[in-house]
Amino acid sequence: MNEHPLISEDRDILGGLPVFYGTRVPVQNLVDYLTTGETIDAFLDDFPAVTREQVDSLS
């Protein structure tokens, strides 16, 4: 089991937007990719700081 949360919120990081833990990548970016027809693989290629485990754990 993952010992870190999947998502973090800190007002000092992107004004408190929910981001993938340990990154500055907003979770909304993944939502935007998926709603425009992009794949998870494309998202992971564009945001290498996010792991597949993090994305898979959200579903």
Side-chain angles (χ1 to χ4, degrees):
M1 180 171 222
N2 191 349
E3 61 189 59
H4 297 291
L6 297 173
I7 299 169
S8 63
E9 295 177 59
D10 181 334
R11 66 180 175 182
D12 293 331
I13 299 173
L14 297 177
L17 289 174
V19 297
F20 287 96
Y21 182 83
T23 76
R24 295 179 61 85
V25 179
V27 174
Q28 185 63 45
N29 286 14
L30 174 61
V31 174
D32 292 344
Y33 264 65
L34 297 177
T35 58
T36 61
E38 292 288 340
T39 64
I40 290 173
D41 288 331
F43 174 80
L44 293 171
D45 286 343
D46 290 344
F47 298 96
V50 179
T51 67
R52 180 167 295 277
E53 179 183 64
Q54 287 174 301
V55 172
D56 289 345
S57 294
L58 291 177
S59 47

Short mmCIF file of all heavy atoms in Angstrom, two decimals:
data_model
loop_
_atom_site.label_atom_id
_atom_site.label_comp_id
_atom_site.label_asym_id
_atom_site.label_seq_id
_atom_site.Cartn_x
_atom_site.Cartn_y
_atom_site.Cartn_z
N MET A 1 0.84 -1.19 0.00
CA MET A 1 0.00 0.00 0.00
C MET A 1 0.88 1.25 0.00
O MET A 1 1.93 1.29 0.61
CB MET A 1 -0.92 -0.03 1.21
CG MET A 1 -1.81 1.18 1.29
SD MET A 1 -3.06 0.97 2.57
CE MET A 1 -4.42 1.63 1.68
N ASN A 2 0.41 2.27 -0.68
CA ASN A 2 1.15 3.53 -0.79
C ASN A 2 1.09 4.26 0.55
O ASN A 2 0.03 4.45 1.12
CB ASN A 2 0.52 4.36 -1.91
CG ASN A 2 1.35 5.56 -2.27
OD1 ASN A 2 2.30 5.92 -1.58
ND2 ASN A 2 1.00 6.19 -3.37
N GLU A 3 2.23 4.72 1.03
CA GLU A 3 2.27 5.41 2.31
C GLU A 3 1.98 6.90 2.19
O GLU A 3 1.81 7.58 3.19
CB GLU A 3 3.61 5.18 2.99
CG GLU A 3 4.78 5.71 2.19
CD GLU A 3 6.11 5.31 2.76
OE1 GLU A 3 6.36 4.11 2.87
OE2 GLU A 3 6.89 6.21 3.09
N HIS A 4 1.93 7.43 0.97
CA HIS A 4 1.66 8.84 0.75
C HIS A 4 0.24 9.02 0.22
O HIS A 4 -0.28 8.16 -0.47
CB HIS A 4 2.64 9.43 -0.27
CG HIS A 4 4.05 9.40 0.16
ND1 HIS A 4 4.54 10.17 1.19
CD2 HIS A 4 5.10 8.69 -0.29
CE1 HIS A 4 5.83 9.93 1.35
NE2 HIS A 4 6.19 9.03 0.47
N PRO A 5 -0.35 10.17 0.49
CA PRO A 5 -1.66 10.44 -0.12
C PRO A 5 -1.50 10.60 -1.62
O PRO A 5 -0.40 10.85 -2.12
CB PRO A 5 -2.08 11.76 0.53
CG PRO A 5 -0.82 12.39 0.99
CD PRO A 5 0.13 11.27 1.30
N LEU A 6 -2.56 10.43 -2.36
CA LEU A 6 -2.51 10.59 -3.81
C LEU A 6 -2.50 12.05 -4.22
O LEU A 6 -1.88 12.43 -5.20
CB LEU A 6 -3.72 9.91 -4.46
CG LEU A 6 -3.82 8.42 -4.28
CD1 LEU A 6 -5.15 7.92 -4.82
CD2 LEU A 6 -2.67 7.73 -4.97
N ILE A 7 -3.22 12.85 -3.46
CA ILE A 7 -3.41 14.26 -3.79
C ILE A 7 -3.06 15.10 -2.58
O ILE A 7 -3.32 14.72 -1.45
CB ILE A 7 -4.89 14.50 -4.19
CG1 ILE A 7 -5.23 13.67 -5.42
CG2 ILE A 7 -5.16 15.98 -4.43
CD1 ILE A 7 -6.70 13.64 -5.75
N SER A 8 -2.45 16.24 -2.85
CA SER A 8 -2.18 17.17 -1.74
C SER A 8 -2.69 18.55 -2.12
O SER A 8 -2.82 18.89 -3.29
CB SER A 8 -0.69 17.20 -1.41
OG SER A 8 0.06 17.69 -2.49
N GLU A 9 -2.99 19.32 -1.10
CA GLU A 9 -3.42 20.70 -1.26
C GLU A 9 -2.63 21.55 -0.28
O GLU A 9 -2.64 21.27 0.92
CB GLU A 9 -4.91 20.85 -0.98
CG GLU A 9 -5.80 20.13 -1.97
CD GLU A 9 -7.25 20.25 -1.61
OE1 GLU A 9 -7.75 21.39 -1.54
OE2 GLU A 9 -7.88 19.20 -1.40
N ASP A 10 -1.96 22.55 -0.79
CA ASP A 10 -1.15 23.45 0.03
C ASP A 10 -1.25 24.84 -0.60
O ASP A 10 -0.91 24.99 -1.78
CB ASP A 10 0.29 22.96 0.05
CG ASP A 10 1.22 23.79 0.90
OD1 ASP A 10 0.96 25.01 1.09
OD2 ASP A 10 2.24 23.26 1.35
N ARG A 11 -1.70 25.80 0.15
CA ARG A 11 -1.90 27.12 -0.45
C ARG A 11 -0.60 27.72 -0.98
O ARG A 11 -0.63 28.65 -1.78
CB ARG A 11 -2.61 28.05 0.51
CG ARG A 11 -1.81 28.39 1.72
CD ARG A 11 -2.59 29.32 2.61
NE ARG A 11 -1.83 29.52 3.82
CZ ARG A 11 -2.23 30.24 4.81
NH1 ARG A 11 -3.40 30.84 4.74
NH2 ARG A 11 -1.50 30.38 5.88
N ASP A 12 0.54 27.21 -0.55
CA ASP A 12 1.82 27.68 -1.06
C ASP A 12 2.21 27.01 -2.38
O ASP A 12 3.21 27.38 -2.98
CB ASP A 12 2.92 27.46 -0.02
CG ASP A 12 2.73 28.33 1.21
OD1 ASP A 12 2.16 29.44 1.07
OD2 ASP A 12 3.15 27.91 2.30
N ILE A 13 1.46 26.01 -2.78
CA ILE A 13 1.72 25.32 -4.05
C ILE A 13 0.51 25.55 -4.95
O ILE A 13 -0.59 25.06 -4.68
CB ILE A 13 1.96 23.81 -3.84
CG1 ILE A 13 3.17 23.60 -2.95
CG2 ILE A 13 2.12 23.09 -5.18
CD1 ILE A 13 3.41 22.16 -2.55
N LEU A 14 0.72 26.33 -6.00
CA LEU A 14 -0.33 26.65 -6.97
C LEU A 14 -1.60 27.18 -6.31
O LEU A 14 -2.72 26.86 -6.73
CB LEU A 14 -0.64 25.44 -7.85
CG LEU A 14 0.51 24.94 -8.73
CD1 LEU A 14 0.10 23.71 -9.49
CD2 LEU A 14 0.97 26.03 -9.69
N GLY A 15 -1.43 27.94 -5.26
CA GLY A 15 -2.57 28.58 -4.60
C GLY A 15 -3.54 27.62 -3.95
O GLY A 15 -4.69 27.97 -3.72
N GLY A 16 -3.10 26.40 -3.66
CA GLY A 16 -3.96 25.45 -2.98
C GLY A 16 -4.74 24.52 -3.90
O GLY A 16 -5.56 23.73 -3.43
N LEU A 17 -4.48 24.58 -5.20
CA LEU A 17 -5.13 23.65 -6.12
C LEU A 17 -4.73 22.22 -5.75
O LEU A 17 -3.59 21.97 -5.36
CB LEU A 17 -4.71 23.91 -7.56
CG LEU A 17 -5.22 25.17 -8.23
CD1 LEU A 17 -4.59 25.32 -9.61
CD2 LEU A 17 -6.72 25.11 -8.36
N PRO A 18 -5.64 21.27 -5.90
CA PRO A 18 -5.26 19.87 -5.66
C PRO A 18 -4.23 19.43 -6.71
O PRO A 18 -4.44 19.61 -7.91
CB PRO A 18 -6.57 19.10 -5.84
CG PRO A 18 -7.65 20.11 -5.71
CD PRO A 18 -7.07 21.41 -6.18
N VAL A 19 -3.12 18.92 -6.23
CA VAL A 19 -2.04 18.44 -7.11
C VAL A 19 -1.72 16.99 -6.75
O VAL A 19 -2.01 16.52 -5.65
CB VAL A 19 -0.77 19.30 -6.98
CG1 VAL A 19 -1.03 20.73 -7.42
CG2 VAL A 19 -0.19 19.26 -5.58
N PHE A 20 -1.12 16.30 -7.70
CA PHE A 20 -0.63 14.95 -7.40
C PHE A 20 0.48 15.08 -6.37
O PHE A 20 1.37 15.93 -6.50
CB PHE A 20 -0.10 14.27 -8.67
CG PHE A 20 -1.19 13.84 -9.61
CD1 PHE A 20 -1.56 14.64 -10.67
CD2 PHE A 20 -1.85 12.64 -9.40
CE1 PHE A 20 -2.57 14.24 -11.53
CE2 PHE A 20 -2.86 12.24 -10.25
CZ PHE A 20 -3.23 13.04 -11.31
N TYR A 21 0.40 14.26 -5.32
CA TYR A 21 1.34 14.33 -4.20
C TYR A 21 2.79 14.31 -4.72
O TYR A 21 3.14 13.51 -5.58
CB TYR A 21 1.12 13.15 -3.26
CG TYR A 21 2.03 13.19 -2.06
CD1 TYR A 21 1.70 13.96 -0.96
CD2 TYR A 21 3.22 12.49 -2.05
CE1 TYR A 21 2.54 14.03 0.13
CE2 TYR A 21 4.07 12.56 -0.97
CZ TYR A 21 3.73 13.32 0.13
OH TYR A 21 4.57 13.39 1.20
N GLY A 22 3.59 15.21 -4.20
CA GLY A 22 5.01 15.27 -4.54
C GLY A 22 5.30 15.98 -5.85
O GLY A 22 6.44 15.98 -6.31
N THR A 23 4.27 16.57 -6.47
CA THR A 23 4.45 17.28 -7.73
C THR A 23 3.78 18.64 -7.65
O THR A 23 3.16 18.98 -6.66
CB THR A 23 3.81 16.51 -8.92
OG1 THR A 23 2.39 16.67 -8.87
CG2 THR A 23 4.17 15.04 -8.90
N ARG A 24 3.91 19.38 -8.73
CA ARG A 24 3.17 20.63 -8.90
C ARG A 24 2.19 20.47 -10.06
O ARG A 24 1.81 21.45 -10.71
CB ARG A 24 4.14 21.78 -9.15
CG ARG A 24 5.04 22.07 -7.96
CD ARG A 24 6.01 23.20 -8.23
NE ARG A 24 5.36 24.46 -8.52
CZ ARG A 24 4.94 25.33 -7.60
NH1 ARG A 24 5.10 25.07 -6.33
NH2 ARG A 24 4.36 26.45 -7.97
N VAL A 25 1.77 19.25 -10.32
CA VAL A 25 0.87 18.95 -11.43
C VAL A 25 -0.57 18.89 -10.89
O VAL A 25 -0.91 18.00 -10.12
CB VAL A 25 1.23 17.61 -12.11
CG1 VAL A 25 0.26 17.29 -13.23
CG2 VAL A 25 2.67 17.62 -12.61
N PRO A 26 -1.40 19.84 -11.31
CA PRO A 26 -2.79 19.83 -10.85
C PRO A 26 -3.54 18.59 -11.33
O PRO A 26 -3.38 18.15 -12.48
CB PRO A 26 -3.39 21.09 -11.48
CG PRO A 26 -2.23 21.95 -11.83
CD PRO A 26 -1.11 21.00 -12.14
N VAL A 27 -4.38 18.04 -10.48
CA VAL A 27 -5.22 16.91 -10.85
C VAL A 27 -6.14 17.31 -12.01
O VAL A 27 -6.44 16.50 -12.88
CB VAL A 27 -6.02 16.41 -9.63
CG1 VAL A 27 -7.00 15.33 -10.02
CG2 VAL A 27 -5.07 15.93 -8.54
N GLN A 28 -6.52 18.57 -12.05
CA GLN A 28 -7.38 19.06 -13.13
C GLN A 28 -6.74 18.83 -14.51
O GLN A 28 -7.45 18.63 -15.49
CB GLN A 28 -7.70 20.55 -12.93
CG GLN A 28 -8.67 21.11 -13.95
CD GLN A 28 -10.04 20.46 -13.87
OE1 GLN A 28 -10.59 20.28 -12.79
NE2 GLN A 28 -10.61 20.12 -15.02
N ASN A 29 -5.42 18.83 -14.59
CA ASN A 29 -4.76 18.56 -15.86
C ASN A 29 -5.14 17.17 -16.39
O ASN A 29 -5.39 17.02 -17.59
CB ASN A 29 -3.24 18.65 -15.74
CG ASN A 29 -2.76 20.07 -15.62
OD1 ASN A 29 -3.53 21.00 -15.37
ND2 ASN A 29 -1.46 20.27 -15.75
N LEU A 30 -5.20 16.19 -15.52
CA LEU A 30 -5.60 14.85 -15.94
C LEU A 30 -7.04 14.86 -16.42
O LEU A 30 -7.36 14.30 -17.47
CB LEU A 30 -5.42 13.84 -14.80
CG LEU A 30 -5.95 12.43 -15.08
CD1 LEU A 30 -5.23 11.80 -16.27
CD2 LEU A 30 -5.83 11.56 -13.84
N VAL A 31 -7.91 15.52 -15.67
CA VAL A 31 -9.31 15.61 -16.06
C VAL A 31 -9.43 16.27 -17.44
O VAL A 31 -10.15 15.79 -18.31
CB VAL A 31 -10.13 16.39 -15.00
CG1 VAL A 31 -11.55 16.63 -15.47
CG2 VAL A 31 -10.10 15.66 -13.67
N ASP A 32 -8.69 17.35 -17.64
CA ASP A 32 -8.72 18.05 -18.93
C ASP A 32 -8.25 17.14 -20.07
O ASP A 32 -8.86 17.13 -21.14
CB ASP A 32 -7.87 19.31 -18.88
CG ASP A 32 -8.42 20.38 -17.96
OD1 ASP A 32 -9.61 20.29 -17.58
OD2 ASP A 32 -7.66 21.30 -17.61
N TYR A 33 -7.19 16.40 -19.85
CA TYR A 33 -6.70 15.47 -20.87
C TYR A 33 -7.78 14.46 -21.24
O TYR A 33 -8.04 14.23 -22.42
CB TYR A 33 -5.45 14.73 -20.37
CG TYR A 33 -4.15 15.35 -20.79
CD1 TYR A 33 -3.79 16.61 -20.35
CD2 TYR A 33 -3.26 14.67 -21.62
CE1 TYR A 33 -2.59 17.19 -20.73
CE2 TYR A 33 -2.06 15.24 -22.00
CZ TYR A 33 -1.73 16.50 -21.56
OH TYR A 33 -0.54 17.06 -21.94
N LEU A 34 -8.37 13.85 -20.23
CA LEU A 34 -9.34 12.79 -20.49
C LEU A 34 -10.61 13.33 -21.14
O LEU A 34 -11.18 12.67 -22.01
CB LEU A 34 -9.65 12.04 -19.21
CG LEU A 34 -8.46 11.31 -18.58
CD1 LEU A 34 -8.87 10.65 -17.27
CD2 LEU A 34 -7.85 10.30 -19.54
N THR A 35 -11.06 14.51 -20.75
CA THR A 35 -12.30 15.05 -21.34
C THR A 35 -12.10 15.51 -22.78
O THR A 35 -13.08 15.64 -23.51
CB THR A 35 -12.89 16.19 -20.49
OG1 THR A 35 -11.93 17.22 -20.36
CG2 THR A 35 -13.32 15.70 -19.13
N THR A 36 -10.86 15.76 -23.18
CA THR A 36 -10.60 16.15 -24.57
C THR A 36 -10.21 14.97 -25.44
O THR A 36 -9.84 15.15 -26.59
CB THR A 36 -9.53 17.25 -24.66
OG1 THR A 36 -8.31 16.75 -24.11
CG2 THR A 36 -9.97 18.51 -23.94
N GLY A 37 -10.28 13.76 -24.87
CA GLY A 37 -10.01 12.56 -25.66
C GLY A 37 -8.58 12.08 -25.64
O GLY A 37 -8.24 11.10 -26.31
N GLU A 38 -7.73 12.74 -24.88
CA GLU A 38 -6.34 12.28 -24.75
C GLU A 38 -6.30 11.03 -23.89
O GLU A 38 -7.21 10.75 -23.12
CB GLU A 38 -5.47 13.38 -24.13
CG GLU A 38 -5.26 14.57 -24.99
CD GLU A 38 -4.34 14.31 -26.18
OE1 GLU A 38 -3.57 13.33 -26.17
OE2 GLU A 38 -4.40 15.10 -27.13
N THR A 39 -5.21 10.31 -24.00
CA THR A 39 -5.05 9.08 -23.23
C THR A 39 -4.26 9.34 -21.96
O THR A 39 -3.56 10.35 -21.82
CB THR A 39 -4.30 8.02 -24.05
OG1 THR A 39 -2.97 8.50 -24.30
CG2 THR A 39 -5.01 7.73 -25.36
N ILE A 40 -4.36 8.40 -21.05
CA ILE A 40 -3.55 8.45 -19.83
C ILE A 40 -2.07 8.39 -20.19
O ILE A 40 -1.25 9.10 -19.60
CB ILE A 40 -3.95 7.33 -18.86
CG1 ILE A 40 -5.34 7.62 -18.28
CG2 ILE A 40 -2.92 7.19 -17.73
CD1 ILE A 40 -5.92 6.51 -17.44
N ASP A 41 -1.73 7.58 -21.18
CA ASP A 41 -0.32 7.50 -21.61
C ASP A 41 0.20 8.85 -22.09
O ASP A 41 1.33 9.23 -21.78
CB ASP A 41 -0.15 6.45 -22.70
CG ASP A 41 -0.27 5.03 -22.17
OD1 ASP A 41 0.04 4.80 -20.98
OD2 ASP A 41 -0.68 4.15 -22.95
N ALA A 42 -0.63 9.59 -22.83
CA ALA A 42 -0.22 10.92 -23.29
C ALA A 42 -0.01 11.85 -22.09
O ALA A 42 0.97 12.62 -22.05
CB ALA A 42 -1.26 11.50 -24.23
N PHE A 43 -0.91 11.78 -21.13
CA PHE A 43 -0.77 12.59 -19.92
C PHE A 43 0.54 12.26 -19.20
O PHE A 43 1.30 13.15 -18.83
CB PHE A 43 -1.96 12.36 -18.98
CG PHE A 43 -1.82 13.03 -17.65
CD1 PHE A 43 -2.09 14.38 -17.51
CD2 PHE A 43 -1.40 12.32 -16.54
CE1 PHE A 43 -1.95 15.02 -16.28
CE2 PHE A 43 -1.26 12.93 -15.31
CZ PHE A 43 -1.53 14.29 -15.18
N LEU A 44 0.81 10.97 -19.02
CA LEU A 44 2.02 10.56 -18.31
C LEU A 44 3.28 10.95 -19.08
O LEU A 44 4.30 11.30 -18.48
CB LEU A 44 1.99 9.05 -18.05
CG LEU A 44 0.92 8.60 -17.06
CD1 LEU A 44 0.83 7.07 -17.04
CD2 LEU A 44 1.17 9.15 -15.67
N ASP A 45 3.22 10.93 -20.40
CA ASP A 45 4.36 11.38 -21.21
C ASP A 45 4.62 12.87 -21.01
O ASP A 45 5.77 13.30 -20.94
CB ASP A 45 4.13 11.10 -22.69
CG ASP A 45 4.26 9.63 -23.05
OD1 ASP A 45 4.84 8.86 -22.25
OD2 ASP A 45 3.79 9.25 -24.15
N ASP A 46 3.54 13.64 -20.92
CA ASP A 46 3.68 15.08 -20.78
C ASP A 46 3.98 15.53 -19.35
O ASP A 46 4.48 16.64 -19.14
CB ASP A 46 2.42 15.78 -21.29
CG ASP A 46 2.28 15.68 -22.80
OD1 ASP A 46 3.26 15.35 -23.49
OD2 ASP A 46 1.16 15.93 -23.30
N PHE A 47 3.64 14.70 -18.38
CA PHE A 47 3.86 15.02 -16.96
C PHE A 47 4.58 13.86 -16.28
O PHE A 47 3.99 13.11 -15.50
CB PHE A 47 2.52 15.33 -16.26
CG PHE A 47 1.81 16.51 -16.84
CD1 PHE A 47 0.83 16.34 -17.80
CD2 PHE A 47 2.16 17.80 -16.46
CE1 PHE A 47 0.18 17.42 -18.36
CE2 PHE A 47 1.52 18.90 -17.01
CZ PHE A 47 0.53 18.71 -17.96
N PRO A 48 5.88 13.70 -16.56
CA PRO A 48 6.63 12.54 -16.03
C PRO A 48 6.77 12.52 -14.51
O PRO A 48 7.11 11.48 -13.95
CB PRO A 48 7.99 12.65 -16.72
CG PRO A 48 8.10 14.06 -17.15
CD PRO A 48 6.70 14.54 -17.41
N ALA A 49 6.47 13.61 -13.83
CA ALA A 49 6.54 13.61 -12.37
C ALA A 49 5.41 12.81 -11.75
O ALA A 49 5.49 12.39 -10.60
CB ALA A 49 6.51 15.06 -11.84
N VAL A 50 4.34 12.59 -12.52
CA VAL A 50 3.20 11.81 -12.04
C VAL A 50 3.41 10.36 -12.46
O VAL A 50 3.80 10.07 -13.59
CB VAL A 50 1.87 12.35 -12.66
CG1 VAL A 50 0.69 11.52 -12.18
CG2 VAL A 50 1.68 13.81 -12.31
N THR A 51 3.16 9.44 -11.53
CA THR A 51 3.34 8.02 -11.84
C THR A 51 2.03 7.37 -12.28
O THR A 51 0.95 7.87 -11.97
CB THR A 51 3.87 7.25 -10.61
OG1 THR A 51 2.84 7.24 -9.60
CG2 THR A 51 5.15 7.86 -10.06
N ARG A 52 2.17 6.29 -13.01
CA ARG A 52 0.98 5.55 -13.42
C ARG A 52 0.21 5.06 -12.18
O ARG A 52 -1.01 5.06 -12.17
CB ARG A 52 1.36 4.35 -14.30
CG ARG A 52 0.13 3.56 -14.74
CD ARG A 52 0.42 2.57 -15.83
NE ARG A 52 0.81 3.20 -17.06
CZ ARG A 52 -0.05 3.70 -17.96
NH1 ARG A 52 -1.33 3.63 -17.74
NH2 ARG A 52 0.38 4.24 -19.07
N GLU A 53 0.93 4.69 -11.14
CA GLU A 53 0.28 4.25 -9.91
C GLU A 53 -0.63 5.34 -9.34
O GLU A 53 -1.73 5.06 -8.89
CB GLU A 53 1.33 3.85 -8.88
CG GLU A 53 0.74 3.40 -7.56
CD GLU A 53 1.81 3.08 -6.53
OE1 GLU A 53 2.55 4.01 -6.13
OE2 GLU A 53 1.91 1.92 -6.14
N GLN A 54 -0.16 6.60 -9.38
CA GLN A 54 -0.98 7.69 -8.88
C GLN A 54 -2.26 7.83 -9.70
O GLN A 54 -3.34 8.00 -9.15
CB GLN A 54 -0.20 9.01 -8.91
CG GLN A 54 0.86 9.10 -7.85
CD GLN A 54 1.70 10.34 -8.01
OE1 GLN A 54 2.34 10.55 -9.04
NE2 GLN A 54 1.72 11.18 -6.98
N VAL A 55 -2.12 7.76 -11.01
CA VAL A 55 -3.29 7.91 -11.88
C VAL A 55 -4.24 6.73 -11.71
O VAL A 55 -5.44 6.90 -11.57
CB VAL A 55 -2.86 8.06 -13.36
CG1 VAL A 55 -4.05 8.03 -14.28
CG2 VAL A 55 -2.08 9.35 -13.55
N ASP A 56 -3.69 5.52 -11.71
CA ASP A 56 -4.53 4.33 -11.58
C ASP A 56 -5.26 4.29 -10.25
O ASP A 56 -6.38 3.81 -10.16
CB ASP A 56 -3.69 3.05 -11.73
CG ASP A 56 -3.23 2.83 -13.16
OD1 ASP A 56 -3.76 3.49 -14.09
OD2 ASP A 56 -2.33 1.98 -13.37
N SER A 57 -4.65 4.82 -9.22
CA SER A 57 -5.27 4.81 -7.89
C SER A 57 -6.47 5.73 -7.79
O SER A 57 -7.29 5.59 -6.89
CB SER A 57 -4.24 5.19 -6.83
OG SER A 57 -3.24 4.21 -6.75
N LEU A 58 -6.58 6.67 -8.71
CA LEU A 58 -7.72 7.59 -8.69
C LEU A 58 -8.98 6.96 -9.26
O LEU A 58 -10.06 7.44 -9.01
CB LEU A 58 -7.39 8.87 -9.48
CG LEU A 58 -6.35 9.78 -8.87
CD1 LEU A 58 -6.10 10.96 -9.80
CD2 LEU A 58 -6.79 10.27 -7.51
N SER A 59 -8.81 5.90 -10.04
CA SER A 59 -10.00 5.31 -10.67
C SER A 59 -10.60 4.20 -9.85
O SER A 59 -10.19 3.79 -8.85
CB SER A 59 -9.67 4.79 -12.05
OG SER A 59 -8.51 4.03 -12.09
#
